[in-house]
Amino acid sequence: MTSKPAPQQLSVAPLRKRRLADEVYAQILSQLAAHHYATGDRLPTEHALAEQFSVSRPVIRDALKQLQNDGLIGARRGAGTFVLRLPPQDMAPFAQDVQIADYIRAYEIRQSLECEAARLAAQRADKADISSIGKALDMMERALNTAGENATEADFQFHITIARATHNDLFERQILSLRPEMTGTMRIASQITTNRPPERTERVLQEHRDIFNAIEAGDGNLARLYMQYHLVSVRNRILDQSL
């Protein structure tokens, strides 16, 4: 009788490498947000960064790749890695949180999840759902117009209420599983918004109104587009000081 091969043990090295890369990512992001570099500056070499952060060069490469994915830096063959844009300085205190890498990565998941949720909500929402989304929007408007007090919770309630309006509880469960990452970025975005002129707050609120109005009108494709525009816009506002 042939014996079964022993199950292979999973290596923990990749997970540790990811955690280290996230820590380095957070520290470099913090330096960029604090404007230790200017747009166009060349970053230190991989070797120099590895020594600075006491990690291996593969860890540095992973961290730099994430910053490239964010559009903050770019590599030029044979010349090095250069700063393409800078986050707003308001971002600096938040960038020191090692979870910031997950916060930013979550936007990729949210694009797939929440855009479809908005489309389905527009097709399936009943009067009670529309009322609930409207109340969440009202709560968010009041919060943002009072120096951002409770704005993070109000923002999350708006998005989770849309997920409920799909009448597919898997959407709500997935949104709830992303709550730490979502509220993390919402807290950052809210703080940055409240430090800007009132026009910025109005722009953010209008993005949410557009989503609500499309859902209320039953236009799934438009609701999806408005949700996509909102998620791309808020991510860019967190990562680009010029917006």
Side-chain angles (χ1 to χ4, degrees), residues 12-119:
V12 298
L15 181 59
R16 174 169 171 75
K17 181 183 173 186
R18 167 51 55 198
R19 285 200 298 263
L20 287 172
D22 286 351
E23 290 177 13
V24 173
Y25 168 87
Q27 292 186 58
I28 297 177
L29 180 62
S30 180
Q31 292 175 353
L32 293 172
H35 295 188
H36 290 175
Y37 299 97
T39 302
D41 281 356
R42 186 172 67 176
L43 292 181
T45 64
E46 286 183 4
H47 178 74
L49 289 171
E51 287 193 341
Q52 178 183 345
F53 295 112
S54 300
V55 296
S56 67
R57 290 177 68 177
V59 168
I60 294 296
R61 289 191 201 105
D62 280 0
L64 294 179
K65 184 62 177 177
Q66 171 76 1
L67 292 164
Q68 283 185 279
N69 292 341
D70 294 340
L72 294 171
I73 62 173
R76 301 178 195 167
R77 186 180 296 275
T81 302
F82 294 82
V83 178
L84 300 180
R85 61 175 178 170
L86 294 171
Q89 287 184 299
D90 321 54
M91 175 72 164
F94 300 103
Q96 297 174 23
D97 184 348
V98 71
Q99 297 301 316
I100 191 67
D102 282 341
Y103 294 168
I104 302 301
R105 279 196 294 262
Y107 276 110
E108 296 179 0
I109 305 300
R110 293 180 64 189
Q111 282 283 344
S112 299
L113 184 64
E114 293 197 74
C115 292
E116 182 63 9
R119 186 184 73 83

Side-chain angles (χ1 to χ4, degrees), residues 1 11 22 40-41 72 153 170-171 176 190 216 222 230 238:
M1 184 174 181
S11 171
D22 286 351
D41 281 356
L72 294 171
E153 180 59 26
L170 290 176
F171 277 98
L176 287 172
S190 175
E216 186 178 36
L222 190 59
H230 167 61
I238 287 175

Side-chain angles (χ1 to χ4, degrees), residues 136-195:
L137 178 59
D138 289 342
M139 182 171 68
M140 186 176 176
E141 292 207 30
R142 287 194 301 271
L144 279 176
N145 287 320
T146 54
E149 185 179 355
N150 298 322
T152 297
E153 180 59 26
D155 195 357
F156 182 79
Q157 287 304 315
F158 178 82
H159 288 266
I160 192 67
T161 305
I162 290 173
R164 292 189 186 114
T166 67
H167 293 269
N168 179 339
D169 65 346
L170 290 176
F171 277 98
E172 181 179 0
R173 279 194 248 165
Q174 292 301 312
I175 294 292
L176 287 172
S177 74
L178 288 171
R179 184 170 190 150
E181 291 80 14
M182 289 178 65
T183 55
T185 51
M186 287 170 176
R187 186 173 65 253
I188 296 169
S190 175
Q191 184 60 52
I192 292 174
T193 295
T194 55
N195 290 340

